[in-house]
């Protein structure tokens, strides 16, 4: 059977069977004489949404099992599609590969059980480790995730901002070039009426040049000192009168806005804040669980000192005659 890269085929797109549309008649049909009503037909049995697709030594493999094997490789928008619908969306070669994989997996499990590998000490140790990890993770999820609501995140952000000192930020644009002469020529060009953003797009060597040199809002500590000192000395709309040299080259700077803030806005800080709260909540759960548990540390017995290296015994001196 031909093999196909499963993830690539699944991510390449979905394949829907075209719908069939009945065409309406051009004119209403002539009235027909009433006919005798035929006896009602028995309803057709409903199709099994999870049909059997194969049997391996009599053990059934159903559709849901085959689809579940591909869940991790599917785009997120496909993971909630019912298996019977998803089957019609997958290319036949992909679905056949999934079924073939499920058959092989089941055959190997059967072979392992026949060999009584479920009683193997190594297998049992791995299962205990898996069970303990799954139990720990389930406990943490149940304890931590309900606490990470949007309301809790917003409340934490508000508390953090209230406790943070105010700091000044500026929003600036810049044009970065390799030498002072080019920077001075650009200052003269902009002072003469050239559009700063257009010059940035055509002349700046910094990636921000594609956005007209826009660096967004930043605080003093976000930039190298030479750049920060020059930017914070300007008022909104002002252009740096002289080129500013840093380790990256020569800059022409224009400040767009100034503001006082206590930190990033909630939407900007959300992901970082959530990660920090997860770590804090996990540590709190661990401490709470440990406090409710009897813990006894046992000192290991003292190690027996290893014998020293064996010294070679010199041979006795020869006997004198």
């Amino acid at each position: 059977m031909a093999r196909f890269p499963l993830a690539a085929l699944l991510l390449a797109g979905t394949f829907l069977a075209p719908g069939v549309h009945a065409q309406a008649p051009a004119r209403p049909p002539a009235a027909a004489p009433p006919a005798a009503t035929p006896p009602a037909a028995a309803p057709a049995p409903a199709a099994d949404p999870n049909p059997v697709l194969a049997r391996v030594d009599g053990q059934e493999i159903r559709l849901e099992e085959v689809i579940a094997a591909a869940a991790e490789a599917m785009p997120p928008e496909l993971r909630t599609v019912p298996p019977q619908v998803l089957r019609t969306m997958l290319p036949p070669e992909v679905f056949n590969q999934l079924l073939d994989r499920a058959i092989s997996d089941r055959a190997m499990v059967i072979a392992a059980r026949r060999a009584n590998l479920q009683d193997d000490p190594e297998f049992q140790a791995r299962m205990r480790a898996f069970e303990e990890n799954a139990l720990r993770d389930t406990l943490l999820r149940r304890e931590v995730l309900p606490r990470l609501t949007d309301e809790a995140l917003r409340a934490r952000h508000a508390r953090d901002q209230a406790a943070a000192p105010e700091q000044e930020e500026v929003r600036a644009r810049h044009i970065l070039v390799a030498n002072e002469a080019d920077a001075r020529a650009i200052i003269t060009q902009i002072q003469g009426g050239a559009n700063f953003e257009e010059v940035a797009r055509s002349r700046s060597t910094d990636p921000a040049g594609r956005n007209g040199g826009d660096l967004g809002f930043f605080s003093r500590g976000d930039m190298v000192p030479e750049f920060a000192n020059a930017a914070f000395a300007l008022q909104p709309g002002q252009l740096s009168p002289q080129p500013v040299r840093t380790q990256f080259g020569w800059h022409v700077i224009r400040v767009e806005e100034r503001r006082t803030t206590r930190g990033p806005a909630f939407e900007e800080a959300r992901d970082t804040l959530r990660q920090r709260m997860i770590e804090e909540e996990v540590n709190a759960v661990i401490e709470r669980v440990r406090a409710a548990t009897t813990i006894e540390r046992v000192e290991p017995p003292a190690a027996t000192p290893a014998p020293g290296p064996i010294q070679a015994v010199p041979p006795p001196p020869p006997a004198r005659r």
Side-chain angles (χ1 to χ4, degrees):
M1 177 179 180
R3 295 286 178 177
F4 298 88
L6 176 59
L9 286 171
L10 287 172
L11 293 172
T14 58
F15 297 80
L16 292 173
V20 178
H21 301 279
Q23 185 175 2
R27 64 183 65 182
T37 304
D48 185 354
N50 188 27
V52 175
L53 302 180
R55 291 183 178 88
V56 182
D57 276 356
Q59 296 186 17
E60 296 178 347
I61 295 178
R62 292 182 174 267
L63 175 62
E64 288 183 0
E65 179 181 348
V66 175
I67 296 299
E72 292 185 0
M74 291 181 183
E77 61 270 16
L78 293 183
R79 295 175 189 172
T80 57
V81 176
Q84 63 271 26
V85 176
L86 191 57
R87 179 180 183 177
T88 66
M89 299 168 63
L90 293 174
E93 63 271 20
V94 174
F95 186 80
N96 289 334
Q97 183 178 339
L98 291 175
L99 177 57
D100 188 58
R101 179 182 300 178
I103 291 171
S104 298
D105 289 346
R106 182 64 61 85
M108 288 190 290
V109 170
I110 291 173
R113 290 190 181 278
R114 285 176 179 167
N116 294 320
L117 294 186
Q118 66 272 20
D119 300 327
D120 183 82
E122 179 185 354
F123 170 79
Q124 293 181 347
R126 292 176 64 183
M127 289 301 296
R128 284 194 299 271
F130 174 82
E131 180 184 23
E132 291 176 358
N133 289 336
L135 285 170
R136 179 200 63 206
D137 292 347
T138 302
L139 173 65
L140 289 175
R141 285 178 176 274
R142 291 190 177 185
E143 292 284 337
V144 171
L145 293 184
R147 301 175 183 270
L148 300 177
T149 62
D150 190 71
E151 293 77 8
L153 290 172
R154 289 183 181 277
R156 175 60 180 272
H157 180 257
R159 291 197 302 271
D160 288 352
Q161 282 204 321
E166 288 189 347
Q167 61 179 359
E168 190 177 13
E169 293 182 341
V170 299
R171 174 173 167 246
R173 297 180 186 270
H174 83 133
I175 300 170
L176 176 65
V177 291
N179 58 73
E180 183 180 8
D182 286 347
R184 290 189 179 278
I186 289 172
I187 291 176
T188 301
Q189 183 181 1
I190 294 172
Q191 288 175 337
N195 183 277
F196 189 102
E197 298 177 33
E198 292 179 0
V199 176
R201 292 188 185 97
S202 62
R203 299 290 302 275
S204 182
T205 61
D206 186 78
R210 294 191 296 268
N211 299 323
D214 193 358
L215 297 172
F217 280 98
F218 56 87
S219 63
R220 284 184 179 271
D222 294 334
M223 300 294 179
V224 294
E226 301 88 348
F227 190 97
N229 292 337
F232 278 85
L234 300 173
Q235 294 302 315
Q238 284 188 326
L239 183 74
S240 54
Q242 302 293 331
V244 178
R245 186 179 187 180
T246 71
Q247 65 203 67
F248 305 104
W250 293 84
H251 306 259
V252 177
I253 305 172
R254 188 181 74 189
V255 166
E256 303 292 316
E257 300 177 64
R258 300 178 74 103
R259 71 182 183 185
T260 300
T261 181
R262 293 183 182 270
F266 174 72
E267 295 303 330
E268 299 174 14
R270 182 191 184 97
D271 292 342
T272 301
L273 180 60
R274 188 175 190 274
Q275 186 58 41
R276 187 163 72 243
M277 287 184 66
I278 288 175
E279 294 173 2
E280 293 173 356
E281 292 291 343
V282 166
N283 290 333
V285 171
I286 293 173
E287 291 300 321
R288 190 162 62 248
V289 169
R290 286 171 63 95
T293 308
T294 301
I295 299 174
E296 179 185 2
R297 290 184 178 272
V298 180
E299 292 293 333
T304 304
I310 299 176
Q311 301 291 333
V313 179
R320 294 183 178 180
R321 295 185 179 271

